[in-house]
Each structure stands twice: as C-alpha cells, then as structure tokens.
Amino acid sequence: MSVKPTVLKLGGSEITDKEKPLTPNLQIIERLADEIAQAKVSSLIVVHGGGSFGHHIAKQYKLTEGYSDPSQVVGFSETHRAMTKLNSLVMDSLISHNVNAVVVQPSSCVVMKAGRIQSMEKKPLIRMVDMGLVPVLYGDAVLDSDKGFAILSGDQLVTSLALNFGASRIIMGGDVDGLYTKDPKVNKSARLVDRVTLEELKTQKHDIEGSKATDVTGGMLGKVRELIPAIEQNIQVLLVNATKPLRVYKALRGEEVTGTIIERG
Ligand code: IP8
C-alpha cells in the first residue's frame, strides 16, 4: 500500500444494543459514518463487531466450539446472515455520507485454524485502499481447517489487518472511555488509564474486567489480548469511546482526545 492505513474498529456494543437481539443503534451508526466522512483519512480500513447481531446466534449454536453436530450448520448460516444485515446498515450510512466504502466479507476471504486466522486473501484489499476505497470488514462466522468453523472476532481481524498491511495505527471505538483499572460500569473506583505500555499492560491485565454482556469473543479482556501482536510491532493503539460525539473524529484526525493510548514503550 502506498500510504500506511489506519485501521478503525467500531465495536458491536455501540453500533447495536447488545442486550436486545438483532437491534441496531442507528443513531450511533449514522453519527459515526458522519465522523468518518468528516475526518477524511487518506488510507482507511474499517472493521465492525457483531454486538447483538452476531453473538446471540453464535452462542445459541455453540459456534466458537467448532463443528460437532450437523444441527450447527444452520447456525453458521444464520450468524453470517445476521452479520450481513448489520453490515448493510453500516454500509448504507457510510455511503450516504459519501465514504467510498466497499464490503469485504471475512467468511469469503479468511480461513482459520484452531480459531486463529490461517490465511486471508490480501490482493483485493491492497488494491481497494490504493484506489481510495474504504474496505469494511466485520466479525464473522468463518471456516476453520481444524474445527470446521469458528467465530472470527473483529478484534483478531483488526490486528491481522494492521500487521499484514503495515498500519500506522489502530483506533478501537468502544462504549467506554478507554482502558480502566476495573469495569467502570459496575465499579465506581475504576480509573481511566490514558497511556500504557505493553509491559505495564501485561502486568495489569488481570485487573481488566471482561464484558458482562453476551460476548462469545471475550469483551475487553479479549480485545486487549488480541491487540498485543500489533503493539509488539510498534503499531500504536488508541481506545476511544465511540458513544460520545467527536471522539472517533478527533482520533482519526490525530487530535488530542480522551482515551487510552497503548504502545510498545
Ligand atoms: O463483536 C464477533 O465479532 P466481535 C462476530 O468483534 C460474531 O467480537 C459473528 C459473533
């Protein structure tokens, strides 16, 4: 790629209502599409999570455990279908805000092995970004050469894209201000960490609470673990609250913003 891309993740917990199956948060999707459009980043890849579109169905059919029974096959199909519905809402918003977005379906270009990405078709993505298009990928049900199938989290995808395409930075939009010492939704003494190195993160990580909502791919704890390989390669990660206006915009513009910077140190 001629310009190092920024990889932006839009978490499922803000673009959907995670407690209500198949419920999008259209207002937030629209606002985020507007912020992405206004920020005018020259080289951008967007990934979004599953929220209440992917996780409930994936859990119902035990998809993360892999294939063990023919009755799960319909669950693979339904999980992917639900994700395409959420994705089409994101795409409609982006395109209506004049972002030249194009869908790249992970189920069609990624193969996993034991729950980790084994291979990804990269050429179309490279050409898209060089053409000024914004590829949009999402957490998805994906075929797995060991387990039959698996759930690919948007976070694993973000790290893999950032490493494969030499990203300059990763911006993770979530529903909290950044990384806290405790889960801020249940613990008032939780403190926002504005900057942390990988070493500090490794020793603090037992204090980071996982998500309480239905999340088959690990919530905040899973997020942090997944990002480590990218941070090790000197790719800076910025966690911001995408439910608050202009945080994603400022992060994309490289302006000062409330959040957590994670770097190798
Ligand atoms: O919300 C998982 O992606 P995530 C997507 O980024 C599915 O963990 C299909 C559950």
Side-chain angles (χ1 to χ4, degrees):
M1 281 176 196
S2 40
V3 183
K4 287 182 163 201
T6 295
V7 180
L8 170 67
K9 164 103 191 272
L10 305 177
S13 32
E14 71 268 9
I15 63 169
T16 74
D17 183 335
K18 257 191 135 173
E19 300 305 332
K20 293 190 194 138
L22 303 173
T23 309
N25 199 334
L26 291 174
Q27 257 185 342
I28 290 193
I29 293 174
E30 280 291 311
R31 179 178 52 71
L32 288 169
D34 185 42
E35 292 187 24
I36 293 167
Q38 299 300 330
K40 295 185 175 44
V41 177
S42 56
S43 180
L44 180 67
I45 301 174
V46 175
V47 175
H48 67 78
S52 63
F53 280 75
H55 290 275
H56 286 82
I57 307 173
K59 194 173 182 184
Q60 186 186 337
Y61 288 94
K62 300 188 169 72
L63 295 190
T64 47
E65 292 165 27
Y67 177 86
S68 60
D69 190 276
S71 64
Q72 290 172 294
V73 177
V74 66
F76 183 96
S77 176
E78 281 181 15
T79 301
H80 174 68
R81 177 78 185 120
M83 286 309 300
T84 63
K85 284 186 180 162
L86 175 60
N87 174 256
S88 70
L89 298 172
V90 173
M91 295 306 292
D92 287 349
S93 282
L94 287 169
I95 291 170
S96 72
H97 285 88
N98 299 318
V99 177
N100 298 322
V102 59
V103 186
V104 177
Q105 291 194 356
S107 58
S108 311
C109 66
V110 175
V111 175
M112 297 177 87
K113 185 175 167 63
R116 307 302 305 170
I117 294 175
Q118 184 180 31
S119 64
M120 185 191 309
E121 185 54 53
K122 300 183 194 77
K123 280 187 199 142
L125 271 157
I126 294 172
R127 289 192 171 274
M128 281 173 193
V129 174
D130 283 343
M131 187 67 77
L133 290 161
V134 176
V136 180
L137 299 89
Y138 47 88
D140 202 0
V142 165
L143 295 168
D144 186 296
S145 56
D146 270 3
K147 302 188 343 167
F149 44 64
I151 292 298
L152 171 59
S153 74
D155 299 334
Q156 188 182 155
L157 197 49
V158 160
T159 302
S160 174
L161 290 165
L163 288 171
N164 274 298
F165 301 120
S168 56
R169 61 199 174 133
I170 294 171
I171 298 170
M172 302 291 288
D175 64 347
V176 290
D177 283 355
L179 200 58
Y180 282 84
T181 47
K182 302 251 167 16
D183 185 343
K185 287 176 185 162
V186 291
N187 203 316
K188 284 211 157 58
S189 70
R191 190 177 54 80
L192 179 69
V193 181
D194 55 9
R195 191 176 278 267
V196 67
T197 66
L198 195 54
E199 215 34 57
E200 290 164 342
L201 194 62
K202 280 179 177 165
T203 52
Q204 283 176 11
K205 105 181 147 185
H206 305 293
D207 291 326
I208 300 162
E209 295 273 316
S211 167
K212 297 279 180 291
T214 302
D215 190 334
V216 294
T217 53
M220 182 57 92
L221 204 59
K223 193 182 296 294
V224 168
R225 276 205 200 99
E226 283 297 353
L227 294 168
I228 290 174
I231 304 161
E232 273 169 347
Q233 294 306 311
N234 257 329
I235 300 171
Q236 192 190 73
V237 170
L238 173 55
L239 309 179
V240 288
N241 192 338
T243 67
K244 299 201 174 151
L246 294 177
R247 297 269 172 99
V248 166
Y249 169 80
K250 284 183 183 168
L252 287 170
R253 299 285 302 165
E255 294 174 11
E256 203 170 305
V257 61
T258 303
T260 302
I261 292 172
I262 312 174
E263 54 201 355
R264 196 171 73 171

